[in-house]
Amino acid sequence: MSEARQKKLTPKMIFKSYLNWMAFCLSLQQREVMQGPALVKMLGDIREDLYPGDVERQQEMMERHLTFFNTEPNIGAIIPGIVLGMEAEKAAGADVPPDLITAIKNALMGPFAGIGDALLPGTLCPLLLSIALGLSQGGSLTGVIFYIVTFLGIMAPVTWFLFSRGATLGAKAAELVLSSQLKDDIIRAMNIIGITVVGAITCSVTNVKIGLVYTSGEMTLNLNNIINGIYPKLVVLLSAFGVYYLVAKKNWSVGKMMLLMLGVAIVGYFTKILAP
């Protein structure tokens, strides 16, 4: 932490600002400003600490951030931390142009939105939900509790680490992350883990049963039993590949995919190709 920033920014102020960001980052959203009010709330609660008795400079600081800002709020928590650090440095008398703070904030919201969306709604959330679904069979609340506790247990320390490091390092925090290959390695590893876990959960909770049975005298050949005897869950695997192909390669929407599944289930049931 630079000497100028250290004079103004205390651990208590950082933690208070962190709580404000996490509590209000998705509040008061509208297309004109999106998450801008959360930054104003965050800085407004410590305005007296940064500019004691200087109402004009307090207003200038808050007006500076009542503009459009939108990023993934968890991984992107590093950005309000960086803003806090730079504003504290400016308040301490360092030569930090207001335009620089705004420019860095605007430049970072897109990249960190991409990183956050890939890691959370793109990987971690589906992974945890897949496990939770497996734990919720039979109406058990275990899956719900697992998801809430695990998600909060992961994201609370991660968001605090990112926010606090952003506040202490200022603009250097973003440079350290974006200039290295760390983000790409993390995203790649999470994608591999996510695909593996989702695939395993899919096989454990999904069942596609072939209803074709050939009977000749006392001999009965059940196609479903024969397939599962050679390759268990082969039909489920082929179905998963088919869904992946249509969604990833043919750009089918989720709604369209669900309608196709419903149609296949109805036709399969009445033609006896599929069994309940």
Side-chain angles (χ1 to χ4, degrees), residues 210-233:
I210 303 297
L212 298 177
V213 178
Y214 174 76
T215 302
S216 178
E218 296 182 357
M219 181 182 67
T220 301
L221 295 176
N222 188 311
L223 184 59
N224 188 74
N225 293 340
I226 294 173
I227 293 175
N228 285 331
I230 299 171
Y231 194 126
K233 298 283 187 174

Side-chain angles (χ1 to χ4, degrees), residues 86-129:
M86 296 183 72
E87 287 289 358
E89 195 163 351
K90 177 177 174 57
D95 184 18
V96 181
D99 292 343
L100 177 62
I101 300 175
T102 304
I104 289 179
K105 178 185 70 174
N106 293 338
L108 293 179
M109 64 180 178
F112 277 101
I115 296 171
D117 289 343
L119 289 177
L120 295 185
T123 302
L124 180 62
C125 291
L127 189 156
L128 295 180
L129 286 170

Side-chain angles (χ1 to χ4, degrees), residues 56-74:
E56 184 177 346
R57 296 189 70 185
Q58 292 175 12
Q59 290 177 343
E60 288 178 359
M61 176 184 66
M62 290 187 290
E63 287 176 2
R64 184 158 51 246
H65 297 286
L66 192 55
T67 56
F68 182 87
F69 178 73
N70 189 37
T71 192
E72 197 287 314
N74 296 289

